[in-house]
Amino acid sequence: MEVIVAVDIGSSSVKCNAYKVGTVSEPDAAGDAATLASSPAPLTMIAQSAKLMRAVHPHSGKIVPMNQIFQATEECITNVLSTCEAIWGHDFSVVAVGFSSFTMNLIG
């Protein structure tokens, strides 16, 4: 099974989701239902994990130590991959990873 992992490191939480990649069968260009072509299907979320934490203090604007952000991120990713392993054993592969981060808002 192919899986895409998305990680969002926000100012109030870290979230991680895993999506199953699949295909749907559609009739070919000639409309022949017996001859099917594969096309990408919408992604199906199969696992999620979130860790609430305040990465930026609301009054001072100070950012928490990076090791706390790393730890929360690692915990969420581990939880999601453990769920994938519980579903498919070792018969899955992560084919893409995407990250989003609150630092994009701080930099402008």
Side-chain angles (χ1 to χ4, degrees):
M1 181 59 51
E2 293 183 333
V3 175
I4 295 174
V5 174
V7 181
D8 176 22
I9 304 169
S11 60
S12 61
S13 67
V14 174
K15 297 179 282 294
C16 182
N17 296 330
Y19 299 89
K20 180 176 76 168
V21 179
T23 58
V24 293
S25 296
E26 298 176 346
D28 63 10
D32 185 0
T35 306
L36 299 177
S38 291
S39 65
L43 299 173
T44 303
M45 186 170 62
I46 49 106
Q48 63 181 355
S49 179
K51 173 90 174 166
L52 297 178
M53 59 163 230
R54 190 162 294 279
V56 179
H57 190 274
H59 302 294
S60 69
K62 290 180 76 173
I63 298 174
V64 301
M66 287 304 295
N67 65 332
Q68 291 180 22
I69 296 172
F70 290 149
Q71 182 178 0
T73 303
E74 183 178 351
E75 184 178 320
C76 286
I77 292 170
T78 298
N79 289 344
V80 161
L81 294 179
S82 294
T83 300
C84 290
E85 189 171 301
I87 295 170
W88 295 299
H90 293 290
D91 193 26
F92 76 95
S93 61
V94 176
V95 295
V97 179
F99 278 89
S100 174
S101 171
F102 74 94
T103 58
M104 302 306 171
N105 295 331
L106 294 176
I107 294 171

